[in-house]
């Protein structure tokens, strides 16, 4: 009995010691109580809330909807191959016609056979052949194209109603959202890959579109013109290019947002060409270093360095030094976001522009100007877009005309400069006034620039001003 009592006493003391240690070191009021604030544990049901599991995201419906509306595009063109040796020794003139075949993808967007694809997929085509997912083939005609945004519209005449993909609002796409890329890489029909949206409004400085959707869904040669869809099978982009040192997929691909593609298609069908509206501002996006240099507190937004004369921006009161932070309901933190949103609009559309001036924020309606009516000025040269007849006459595909010379320093060269066409500025192709304005807006007024000119008599010269 005495032995049992001793054992009971030892057990009681051990329990008291354990309880005391718990209160001292582990309990809320103990010495280590604040350790719980350093590491936050997820709740037991956390993984269910994330929604990354296969049970939460089902790709099969979206894939099934899309593969039937994505087509294979075959581009057949011909070029003449000459033989210099035959010409030199035997006076042989002419050459041999050589067939070239290119392939890509396209997306059916209506039951009567309208198809959207990339301009580079169908460029210089003599014949276009479309193969549906059910292996039926049709000849296609080119309805219209926009080389700047790399979008083209085709039409086939089928004897049946075709499956088609509906457009989603690409402005509502979120980074991290699941997407599917559907196309025909390496002539492998109906290939589906999955990934997420890696970034929005990605600027690759292609001198055309500056607002790509970036994704990590695998895209390879042949995918161009194919569909980028959300998990509902709705079109959010047209797969256009990859970023690669090898020519094949290595991690990221880029798509033209569906809102831009839809606007271009509507313009082509309604007007026969693309109607471009511009805000009428030049400048650049802010970051810490730029803001410090400019002496402004904001580190995000579009800093207005110049307002185009006669533009909607000038008429609405925007001035140099204003910082644009929102267009309608879209937050603007970069040039790509600004240009991407404006590219979904037409001339005379009104956009609510929110900007910061000093310490105050203002919102004003701005009516977009038509791109080809805008004249910009740089270093005493007024520039305007050329029309299709000029392009045909001079056998060029891009350029802007010097409409007036206002600089006293350039007055001695007035007759030579006025009417000449600028082909490039510091080796950047002068696609139109908007492109030249953007390039010049990034240049220091005090630094010289190199300009390639096509004079009125057809000579090509380079000047430094």
């Amino acid at each position: 009995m005495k032995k049992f009592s001793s054992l009971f006493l030892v057990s009681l003391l051990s329990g008291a010691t354990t309880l005391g240690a718990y209160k001292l070191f582990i309990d809320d009021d103990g010495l280590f109580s604040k350790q719980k604030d350093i590491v936050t544990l997820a709740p037991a049901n956390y993984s269910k809330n994330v929604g990354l599991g296969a049970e939460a995201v089902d790709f099969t419906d979206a894939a099934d909807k899309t593969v039937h509306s994505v087509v294979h595009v075959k581009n057949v063109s011909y070029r003449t191959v000459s033989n210099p040796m035959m010409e030199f020794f035997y006076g042989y003139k002419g050459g041999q016609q050589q067939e070239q075949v290119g392939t890509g993808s396209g997306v059916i967007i209506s039951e009567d056979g309208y198809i959207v694809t990339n301009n580079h997929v169908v460029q210089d085509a003599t014949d276009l052949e479309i193969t549906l997912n059910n292996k039926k083939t049709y000849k296609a005609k080119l309805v219209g194209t926009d080389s700047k945004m790399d979008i083209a519209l085709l039409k086939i005449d089928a004897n049946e109603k075709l499956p088609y993909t509906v457009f989603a609002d690409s402005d509502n796409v979120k980074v991290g959202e699941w997407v599917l890329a559907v196309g025909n890489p390496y002539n492998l029909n109906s290939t589906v890959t999955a990934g997420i949206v890696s970034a929005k409004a990605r600027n690759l400085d292609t001198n055309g579109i500056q607002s790509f959707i970036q994704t990590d869904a695998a895209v390879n040669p042949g995918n161009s013109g194919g569909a980028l869809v959300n998990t509902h099978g709705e079109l959010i982009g047209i797969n256009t290019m990859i970023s690669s040192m090898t020519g094949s997929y290595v991690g990221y691909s880029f798509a033209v947002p569906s809102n831009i593609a839809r606007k271009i298609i509507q313009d082509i069908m309604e007007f026969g060409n693309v109607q471009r509206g511009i805000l009428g501002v030049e400048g650049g996006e802010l970051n810490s270093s730029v803001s410090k240099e400019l002496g402004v507190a904001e580190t995000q937004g579009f800093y207005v360095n110049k307002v185009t004369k006669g533009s909607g921006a000038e008429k609405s009161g925007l001035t140099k030094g204003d910082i644009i932070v929102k267009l309608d309901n879209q937050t603007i933190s970069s040039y790509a976001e600004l240009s991407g949103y404006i590219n979904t609009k037409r001339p005379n559309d009104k956009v609510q522009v929110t900007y910061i001036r000093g310490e105050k924020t203002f919102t004003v309606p701005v009516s977009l100007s038509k791109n080809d009516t805008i004249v910009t000025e740089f270093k005493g040269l007024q520039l305007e877009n050329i029309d299709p007849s000029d392009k045909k006459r001079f056998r060029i595909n891009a350029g802007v005309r010097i409409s007036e010379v206002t600089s006293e320093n350039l007055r001695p060269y007035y007759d030579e400069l006025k009417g000449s066409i600028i082909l490039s500025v510091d080796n950047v192709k002068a696609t139109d006034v908007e492109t030249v304005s953007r390039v010049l807006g990034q240049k220091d007024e005090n630094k010289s620039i190199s300009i390639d000119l096509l004079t009125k008599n057809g000579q090509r010269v380079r000047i430094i001003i």
Side-chain angles (χ1 to χ4, degrees), residues 56-197:
V57 180
D58 188 352
F59 299 115
T60 56
D61 286 343
D64 185 59
K65 286 180 182 178
T66 310
V67 292
H68 299 295
S69 62
V70 172
V71 301
H72 180 272
V73 181
K74 181 181 177 182
N75 172 346
V76 179
S77 61
Y78 298 90
R79 70 185 182 101
T80 301
V81 181
S82 60
N83 189 327
M85 297 295 290
M86 293 286 288
E87 292 178 6
F88 181 79
F89 288 107
Y90 303 105
Y92 176 78
K93 298 295 182 182
Q96 183 179 4
Q97 287 283 310
Q98 186 177 80
E99 182 182 273
Q100 292 183 311
V101 177
T103 60
S105 304
V107 186
I108 303 173
I109 57 171
S110 68
E111 63 181 16
D112 57 345
Y114 281 99
I115 297 169
V116 62
T117 184
N118 286 140
N119 175 67
H120 75 262
V121 171
V122 299
Q123 193 168 16
D124 301 325
T126 303
D127 295 304
L128 289 169
E129 183 180 274
I130 301 297
T131 303
L132 307 184
N133 189 56
N134 60 11
K135 309 303 180 185
K136 291 183 179 180
T137 61
Y138 298 92
K139 291 292 183 181
K141 65 178 181 179
L142 181 64
V143 179
T145 184
D146 181 8
S147 59
K148 182 175 182 179
M149 297 299 169
D150 202 10
I151 292 293
L153 182 64
L154 311 178
K155 178 70 166 64
I156 61 173
D157 294 321
N159 55 5
E160 59 182 323
K161 292 183 177 180
L162 299 174
Y164 62 94
T165 296
V166 299
F167 283 82
D169 186 348
S170 55
D171 288 340
N172 293 332
V173 172
K174 293 180 172 59
V175 174
E177 179 179 339
W178 281 106
V179 290
L180 299 180
V182 185
N184 304 279
Y186 304 116
N187 285 324
L188 300 173
N189 284 6
S190 304
T191 297
V192 180
T193 56
I196 62 168
V197 174

Side-chain angles (χ1 to χ4, degrees), residues 242-257:
I242 58 178
S243 179
S244 170
M245 298 295 290
T246 64
S248 297
Y249 174 78
V250 293
Y252 297 112
S253 55
F254 304 91
V256 178

